Amino acid sequence: MKYISTRGRAPELSFEEAMLTGLARDGGLYLPAEIPVLSQDEIAALAGLPYEEIAFRVMWPYVSGSFAGDEFKAIIARAYAGFGHDARAPLKQLNENHFLLELFHGPTLAFKDFAMQLIGQLFQVALKRRGERVTIVGATSGDTGSAAIEAFRGLDAVDVFILFPHGRVSEVQRRQMTTPADSNVHALAVDGDFDDCQAAVKDMFNDFDFRDGVKLAGVNSINFARVLAQVVYYFSAATSLGAPHRKVSFTVPTGNFGDIFAGYIAKRMGLPIDRLVVATNQNDILHRCLSGQGYFKGDTIPSISPSMDIQVSSNFERALYYAYGEDGRAVAQLMDELKQGGFHVSQGAMEALRESFASGRVSEEETLATIKSTLEHSAELVCPHTAVGIKVAEDTRAADVPMVTLATAHPAKFPAAVEQASGVHPPLPSRMSDLYERPERVTRIANDLGAIEDHIKRHIAE
Ligand SMILES: *Cc1c(COP(=O)(O)O)cnc(C)c1O
């Protein structure tokens, strides 16, 4: 399988090269040149299989040129061994025909573990074979950084540096980044906000001396390997609810559009998904766009579902690529307009987008009310992101098609909002109940590119 850029002007790469590269050289995002389709029989055969086996069968056509079959099986086994639930992604019923897909049983209690744990093992095997080391640098508002540190800790082909805004992540998120003792992972508390952290990372990638000197690599959500890992749980959920003999819909709490785009790929692979519903909080650029108002940046308003507080959804570029009939030039033009503030979507592309995606927006009050009512009616304590999904799902779902809402984080990761809404303090799962006692290791650092680069150079292993 070859991988091509959404902007049509970057070299075609193998899966392994696209994974190690991240962002394409023309600024675009990598996609498979063709989306493989599974037959109805192949999909039916997935029902009831262990999660790891479904993962292998769904992802194999994408990676087969880069990894051997047994090697890939072993990678998948290592990726999910640390999950706290044998089903990995269990389904829970909320009410008639509405289900929660629990994606928070990984080591950092958010769905990002599904992709990050896999990508950590894929990087390690690929780099070992090449005899290379890389330095991964990322900025985080919380969930991505902890998932990356947990995924790469102890892997000897990689050093990881995560920049987070000092004093502006939750205590659980901070401790998940600062308590792993492995010498190859480094948490940096930057005296600035999340945008400063992101800008510093971007500047490091544009500083070619530094970039080449430390062999910088990225694992943010535009990496296609991350999207691919997330395709798997759409198959596991839908087949356990009767697909391919029955249609299933999904509602996805959405920020960067990575998770829901994985659902789109699953549908194109032949999974009978009826509707894919984008659920946003008050930062609703996607909902406005899908409602026909164009794609225009606003100001990010902090919310109680912070992992969805975005101005621009990077992975939406991939959906636009298909909506514009795989026309890289048209996508490049839109992305230029986005730099000036935004763009209108053509009528044909809008129809294509609406055929694939529905959407809804949820206020802060509605989010709190949904946490409360879900506990009262279904005895489930849910995180604020999941509550956004549940509300949109209830507002939009059809009575006769099962709806699956993705539960993207464990409530204990966002205890303040959950307690405010429900009066119940969500406890951490027992396997990490000593998180508050573990010693922390963190470097506080000025919001200064030179200081950050210097620190990284001095702390990578030889
Ligand atoms: C990252 C994240 C999201 C948003 O997912 P995208 O793939 O960026 O759309 C939603 N909920 C939680 C808890 C997250 O960590």
Side-chain angles (χ1 to χ4, degrees), residues 112-179:
K112 294 193 172 66
D113 288 325
F114 277 88
M116 211 63 95
Q117 287 290 323
L118 185 79
I119 218 179
Q121 300 299 329
L122 289 168
F123 262 65
Q124 173 75 7
V125 170
L127 291 169
K128 277 274 165 193
R129 189 160 50 214
R130 293 166 163 241
E132 292 174 12
R133 280 187 68 84
V134 296
T135 303
I136 288 170
V137 176
T140 188
S141 55
D143 290 340
T144 303
S146 50
I149 284 184
E150 199 52 56
F152 287 93
R153 60 188 288 186
L155 300 182
D156 60 7
V158 189
D159 282 295
V160 179
F161 295 83
I162 297 296
L163 280 54
F164 69 88
H166 176 73
R168 299 191 200 202
V169 298
S170 82
E171 185 171 3
V172 174
Q173 289 173 324
R174 188 193 72 235
R175 285 182 171 276
Q176 285 180 335
M177 291 189 275
T178 59
T179 57

Side-chain angles (χ1 to χ4, degrees), residues 2 83 120 136 151 171 278 282 329-330 370 418 439 449:
K2 283 286 174 198
F83 277 51
I136 288 170
E171 185 171 3
V278 174
Q282 56 196 352
R329 224 171 336 158
T370 303
V418 172
L449 185 65

Side-chain angles (χ1 to χ4, degrees), residues 109-112 141-144 173 221 226-227 230 233 252-262 278-279 286 305-310 313-315 383-386 406-410 413-414:
L109 307 179
F111 82 87
K112 294 193 172 66
S141 55
D143 290 340
T144 303
Q173 289 173 324
S221 76
R226 278 186 60 183
V227 173
Q230 294 165 186
Y233 44 69
V252 187
T254 296
N256 243 334
F257 209 79
D259 214 6
I260 192 155
F261 184 73
V278 174
L286 286 165
S305 43
S307 303
M308 294 152 62
D309 290 347
I310 47 95
S313 295
S314 338
N315 280 292
C383 93
H385 310 79
T386 306
L406 273 53
T408 50
H410 192 285
K413 214 162 177 180
F414 302 94

Side-chain angles (χ1 to χ4, degrees), residues 360-418:
R361 169 203 202 272
V362 178
S363 71
E364 298 287 275
E365 297 71 36
E366 289 169 324
T367 306
L368 290 167
T370 303
I371 294 174
K372 188 167 192 276
S373 64
T374 305
L375 181 63
E376 282 169 4
H377 295 291
S378 313
E380 291 295 330
L381 198 53
V382 296
C383 93
H385 310 79
T386 306
V388 168
I390 290 173
K391 171 78 172 114
V392 171
E394 286 295 331
D395 290 349
T396 58
R397 74 192 176 96
D400 53 344
V401 180
M403 172 62 84
V404 177
T405 295
L406 273 53
T408 50
H410 192 285
K413 214 162 177 180
F414 302 94
V418 172

Side-chain angles (χ1 to χ4, degrees), residues 23 35 37 78 113 125-126 181 218-219 223 252 256 258 291 310 314 322 338 344 347 351 370 396 422 450 454:
L23 196 69
I35 299 177
V37 175
R78 285 197 295 276
D113 288 325
V125 170
V219 291
N223 198 308
V252 187
N256 243 334
S291 309
I310 47 95
S314 338
Y322 290 118
L338 183 60
H344 285 284
Q347 200 187 337
E351 278 165 19
T370 303
T396 58
S422 66
D454 201 49

